[in-house]
Amino acid sequence: MNVLLVTVDSLRADRVNPEVMPATRAFADDALEFTECVANGPSTPASFPAIHASRYFASIEGLGLPEPGRDDAIRTLAETLREEGYATAGYTDNHFASGSYRYDRGFGEMYDASGAAEAGRLKQFVQSNLDKDGPLFKTIEAVYNRADAVFASATGNDSEYERAESLNDRALGWVDDRENEWFAWLHYMDAHHPYEAPDEYQREFLDEPLPLARCRGLSRKGTHHPEEVTDREWELIRGLYDAECAYVDDQFAALLDALDDRGELDDTLVVFTADHGELVGEHGHAGHPPEFWEGVLRVPFVVAHPDRGAATVDGQVRLIDAAPTITDALGLDAFDGWEGASALDLADGEVEGREYAFADVGRQIEYARCCARRADGWKLLRHADDGEFCFDVRETPDERPEDDRTGESPPEYAELSRALDDHRERMRRMREGGSRGIDEDDEMVEDHLKDLGYME
């Protein structure tokens, strides 16, 4: 059986609905849909160790994965499937999910568009070769949005990232050349800010399409200066985000249709998920800040197995369960060092849900930003200097300040605190055990953060 893993950057679970993503909604209705999947971090660097290696971000010193052969406690899904004879290929346009951070481990072919796109190379040249204190760099920075639009026009790219349609074409070309079982991973970047969907998708959610520079300007304002965003601008940001989600919907459907036309789909396990969600005005933010609100942590998780019927599974699962779920679906043993467990246990009624889901971010602040979410919906958020928050998100899903229960000191708060303290201590021991990725102080990391819009 083949394996197709599609991850969508920044896709909230609630956007998989008939109005925004009807094709994906129909796909989920015909598959195993896990309605309470929790991302193990609010960003790509925090989530992809969970997806590819079933490891918490906080268990590895630095970003990404260790070098192959340097840490026997870490093995990726791709390495596991390649050992079983699968041809393996990955397609991504996110630096933090690329070979730069060793996510090419186990992939016979890795297409990392972020290192190949002309626009990416041009921006990288500016970042690397101009004096950041000099007048030319400061001028470019001051007109960043307009310069981006000029770069896009000059290089023929109408998007900050390579479009899902292009990644589909590359992956399908690779599939056409396969004679044995294959594992393909595609990571769509379209729903990641800046939201700049093609005009026909913008027309579905806005009165009229916005120019590229306006799209990017709104994104930067919402991400870096949300206190300045007007109500009308929040409406535009939400419409642009939904337009990108609608574009992703069409491209995911096109990929499945193309595999069906090739006679591949009936023998392919398809897993659809996201690395994290997105805020579009909630809590005064856009994008995915290092915080743990439901809009950031709740992601879709859908498994379509050729030999399994459709079902909706409400128990809590986590992204660290992705790799064990895939190997279980294939009848393979999970790697002993994986932190997660197969979500198929929930679908089969063997367990009711994972008792705790943990999320972490940030070595440089000693993981003081972290979260524990219990299967019954109780949740503790630690936002470092911003304080702690405790919610029953099933009762108060909006997580408003008045819903915070920390002042009441309910027993659930004490239980979540103990669980989160234990998790942080275990992560510390694992880091000290020698699992090392890319140092967060590496200059490359800062460049990639700027490329992806996390830093101005």
Side-chain angles (χ1 to χ4, degrees):
M1 187 187 305
N2 305 313
V3 181
L4 172 66
L5 171 62
V6 175
T7 56
V8 183
D9 209 295
S10 309
L11 178 62
R12 298 164 58 115
D14 62 9
R15 277 349 189 233
V16 182
N17 65 52
E19 289 72 35
V20 179
M21 301 183 72
T24 308
R25 178 68 264 156
F27 166 77
D29 289 341
D30 291 335
L32 290 176
E33 181 183 17
F34 297 85
T35 62
E36 291 203 16
C37 182
V38 178
N40 296 110
S43 64
T44 298
S47 285
F48 267 101
I51 294 172
H52 278 301
S54 191
R55 283 287 293 258
Y56 290 104
F57 169 68
S59 72
I60 300 171
E61 185 74 19
L63 300 179
L65 300 176
E67 293 181 27
R70 294 290 298 272
D71 189 340
D72 293 337
I74 293 181
R75 182 187 298 176
T76 68
L77 174 64
E79 287 170 328
T80 300
L81 295 185
R82 188 171 66 176
E83 289 180 3
E84 294 292 332
Y86 280 76
T88 56
Y91 300 85
T92 175
D93 193 11
N94 187 319
H95 288 298
F96 289 109
S98 72
S100 297
Y101 296 87
R102 305 187 184 116
Y103 288 110
D104 56 349
R105 287 182 49 168
F107 286 108
E109 177 171 322
M110 171 67 92
Y111 178 76
D112 176 8
S114 65
E118 290 300 324
R121 283 205 288 261
L122 190 54
K123 285 176 25 179
Q124 187 66 32
F125 176 84
V126 172
Q127 291 282 352
S128 301
N129 292 279
L130 294 185
D131 178 7
K132 293 180 175 59
D133 294 322
L136 180 56
F137 185 88
K138 289 183 179 297
T139 300
I140 291 175
E141 190 174 42
V143 294
Y144 182 89
N145 303 314
R146 194 165 299 167
D148 255 7
V150 172
F151 288 166
S153 299
T155 57
N157 295 323
D158 62 352
S159 172
E160 183 83 2
Y161 311 106
E162 182 157 346
R163 283 286 182 196
E165 181 179 10
S166 177
L167 296 185
N168 285 352
D169 290 343
R170 296 181 189 281
L172 289 167
W174 177 81
V175 166
D176 288 341
D177 292 335
R178 299 309 107 200
E179 296 181 355
N180 57 332
E181 292 177 315
W182 50 263
F183 165 46
W185 163 54
L186 287 81
H187 184 59
Y188 294 158
M189 282 295 292
D190 306 271
H192 189 286
H193 59 77
Y195 319 125
E196 45 194 15
D199 287 356
E200 60 267 34
Y201 294 93
Q202 292 193 38
R203 290 190 183 97
E204 293 182 31
F205 301 95
L206 301 175
D207 294 334
E208 58 182 7
L210 300 182
L212 188 62
R214 175 68 166 147
C215 293
R216 295 182 179 180
L218 282 168
S219 175
R220 288 177 63 79
K221 190 174 182 180
T223 303
H224 298 294
H225 308 287
E227 70 284 354
E228 300 176 6
V229 179
T230 67
D231 290 344
R232 175 55 180 161
E233 288 173 329
W234 281 125
E235 290 178 9
L236 293 174
I237 288 170
R238 283 189 286 271
L240 290 168
Y241 177 69
D242 287 348
E244 289 285 22
C245 294
Y247 171 81
V248 167
D249 184 59
D250 275 357
Q251 296 309 315
F252 179 54
L255 177 62
L256 297 183
D257 288 344
L259 290 173
D260 194 23
D261 291 342
R262 288 163 167 77
E264 298 273 357
L265 191 59
D266 287 342
D267 192 35
T268 299
L269 172 73
V270 181
V271 177
F272 179 90
T273 188
D275 56 350
H276 52 78
E278 191 84 336
L279 297 180
V280 283
E282 301 89 348
H283 310 287
H285 284 296
H288 36 279
E291 300 176 356
F292 302 93
W293 312 111
E294 289 290 276
V296 175
L297 287 190
R298 290 285 296 283
V299 294
F301 191 75
V302 183
V303 179
H305 191 296
D307 299 328
R308 280 181 171 262
T312 299
V313 185
D314 294 329
Q316 178 169 272
V317 297
R318 308 134 321 168
L319 286 182
I320 58 168
D321 299 326
T325 299
I326 290 171
T327 53
D328 186 18
L330 299 174
L332 303 175
D333 292 333
F335 174 57
D336 287 343
W338 284 348
E339 292 280 298
S342 173
L344 299 185
D345 293 349
L346 277 72
D348 294 338
E350 297 175 14
V351 295
E352 294 183 358
R354 307 303 173 210
E355 183 178 9
Y356 287 105
F358 299 105
D360 312 90
V361 66
R363 175 180 65 84
Q364 293 179 340
I365 52 175
E366 297 300 323
Y367 298 96
R369 291 184 177 269
C370 51
C371 163
R373 189 183 189 278
R374 225 167 59 168
D376 61 1
W378 277 87
K379 180 179 170 189
L380 174 64
L381 301 77
R382 290 180 179 166
H383 286 170
D385 293 340
D386 295 330
E388 290 190 341
F389 307 91
C390 184
F391 301 101
D392 178 352
V393 294
R394 292 185 179 174
E395 182 179 319
T396 56
D398 292 336
E399 300 174 295
R400 300 168 301 177
E402 58 265 34
D403 300 327
D404 180 19
R405 304 288 295 276
T406 53
E408 304 170 20
S409 298
E412 292 85 357
Y413 170 67
E415 293 170 13
L416 285 162
S417 293
R418 286 193 295 269
L420 190 50
D421 288 342
D422 290 345
H423 169 77
R424 291 185 65 194
E425 174 60 22
R426 194 166 71 87
M427 295 300 101
R428 183 191 63 77
R429 293 196 302 267
M430 293 177 76
R431 290 195 303 274
E432 292 179 353
S435 294
R436 301 191 65 86
I438 304 297
D439 194 318
E440 288 188 32
D441 293 327
D442 192 300
E443 184 176 352
M444 173 184 72
V445 176
E446 181 177 337
D447 288 342
H448 290 168
L449 287 169
K450 289 179 179 177
D451 282 349
L452 287 164
Y454 294 116
M455 297 175 63
E456 287 194 288

